[in-house]
Amino acid sequence: MKAPVPGAFLLGVMGVRGFGQEEQDDTIAAIATPIGTGGVAIVRVSGLEALNIADSFLSLRRGRLHELEDRRVYLGHVTDATGKVFDEAVVLVMRGPRSFTGEDTVEVQCHGGRLVSEKVLSLALQNGARLAERGEFTRRAYLSGRISLDEAEAVLEVVEARSESGLLQAGRRLQGELGALIREWESRLLDSLAETQGASDFPEDIPGQREQTCASLEALRKDMEEFLGRGPLGLALSRGIQVCLVGRPNVGKSSLFNSLLRTERAIVTDVPGTTRDVLREDTEWDGLPVTLLDTAGLRLTEEIVEAIGVERAEDAAMDAAVILYVVDDTAGILDDDLRWLERWKDRRLVLVVNKVDLGVGKVSQQRRPEPKGKPGGSQVRVSSLTGEGLEALKKQVTGYFVESGGASEVVPGSARQVECVRRAFSLVSEALTHMEAGWTDDVISLVLEEGARALAELTGKDVSEATLDIVFERFCVGK
């Protein structure tokens, strides 16, 4: 028999969207389109006084805003208090709760000049609106219950998508596919919690019930483990992969950089130390967004500018998701190379043997042990001149992420989501360990409650305001 889940826990899970009411009572406004010159600019006004404020600077051809039908477009003029006309605009009225924010919303579509859009915004602010904060429109949509927190994150992920695969995954999260999965897990976890608590009240059911609960939790733990395995792919799709080319001077890093980009981006000469700063270019490999970095050659130098470049190269390698350590096949792997490879042995690292088209094969002739990078090391032979091995190199890099989980399943879109599931997974594993060890139901129940909270935090049902600030500060002002 199932016992009720503690009331305090349910209140914590269900009662998050009530805070910040004073700020929500403000009517906010912002330019929702990129600043600059374009065909159309959109100024968005949302809140209790949205219609009154917009009415004060809009002169419509068919009555006033309060008289207009919902979700229809109307033509009018943008005017100031003296009646001066600044622009012709299309106006869309969306009354709450059937709007993105859940509030009364007016969108003014004016011509796309910077001055005219800023004029419309200034008129809204002069008539009582407050300038919106970063992500405040989306935050209000979350607070009004229109979307969950993972869906709010997906809004930004759609906007910032750098590849079609990333866009498709963000779209799935925006439609609520991830949230539905997490809510299913939460429900299963709460069922196990209720069964565990019920065992205390009905001890005669303990033997059989404990086995059933363990089986349910083990199945849930397996599902979470598989999801976490897709974490690297999800983060790669949403944030991109930073891939850093490093190595001694004149091993062909800049030539390889240009060949991988298929453009002459970096200056290439025979003079050691030509590259001084970090060069960055965005590209796409196997559907994954990649930021490729070219760096200064690694060596001790007394030349101050080059020394700064070497330091920046080290920093770039430390921050990169994948390190491509380039060696010259005509020179082989030197002691300096081994020192750097040892330093990065626990990283995702590919040893790139360049200039194989020259046929010297010095690296393959050496008997030194091949350096091992995470997770197990790899070596790819390439030629920047002929293009030999470049596709294999790209496959090696993307394989770190694509092979961690198929894109046919929904994947996480943020480190926050991964961390929430990781905490829940750890707590479910802990509960199973306690059950096997014969711990009391009270202790196990506390662990399961924490696991359910971790899942509730992902969807935003149980989350702190500080976490919300972190999520929404990444947004632009008009979103």
Side-chain angles (χ1 to χ4, degrees), residues 431-453:
L432 284 166
T433 300
H434 292 342
M435 285 180 172
E436 292 173 3
W439 287 38
T440 65
D441 293 325
D442 289 342
V443 173
I444 296 169
S445 294
L446 290 174
V447 175
L448 293 178
E449 281 188 18
E450 287 302 312
R453 279 198 179 90

Side-chain angles (χ1 to χ4, degrees), residues 276-299:
R276 300 298 183 93
D277 208 346
V278 178
L279 299 182
R280 304 169 187 266
E281 284 293 330
D282 291 333
T283 185
E284 184 177 321
W285 296 349
D286 293 338
L288 296 183
V290 171
T291 299
L292 188 63
L293 280 61
D294 185 24
T295 63
L298 300 173
R299 67 172 176 177

Side-chain angles (χ1 to χ4, degrees), residues 317-393:
M318 291 302 296
D319 292 337
V322 179
I323 298 173
L324 302 183
Y325 192 91
V326 185
V327 296
D328 183 347
D329 199 29
T330 65
I333 300 175
L334 306 185
D335 289 339
D336 284 346
D337 296 317
L338 291 175
R339 281 191 287 271
W340 287 108
L341 291 167
E342 176 65 22
R343 179 174 179 178
W344 292 319
K345 64 181 180 180
D346 294 325
R347 303 287 305 282
R348 295 189 185 101
L349 184 146
V350 181
L351 180 65
V352 183
V353 182
N354 196 15
K355 305 183 185 181
V356 299
D357 55 292
L358 297 178
V360 177
K362 192 71 174 289
V363 172
S364 60
Q365 297 169 16
Q366 292 176 305
R367 294 182 174 232
R368 289 176 170 172
E370 183 177 322
K372 296 295 183 182
K374 185 181 180 180
S378 57
Q379 179 186 121
V380 179
R381 296 172 59 80
V382 304
S383 168
S384 300
L385 182 63
T386 67
E388 178 185 347
L390 295 188
E391 291 305 313
L393 177 57

Side-chain angles (χ1 to χ4, degrees), residues 100-142:
F100 176 66
T101 61
E103 307 168 325
D104 288 349
T105 301
V106 179
E107 289 191 354
V108 181
Q109 301 178 16
C110 59
H111 288 96
R114 176 168 187 157
L115 184 60
V116 64
S117 59
E118 289 181 347
K119 182 62 178 179
V120 175
L121 176 60
S122 69
L123 289 170
L125 300 181
Q126 290 169 19
N127 285 280
R130 168 176 64 77
L131 182 63
E133 299 177 2
R134 286 180 174 272
E136 189 167 3
F137 291 98
T138 307
R139 185 168 184 156
R140 289 188 174 202
Y142 159 73

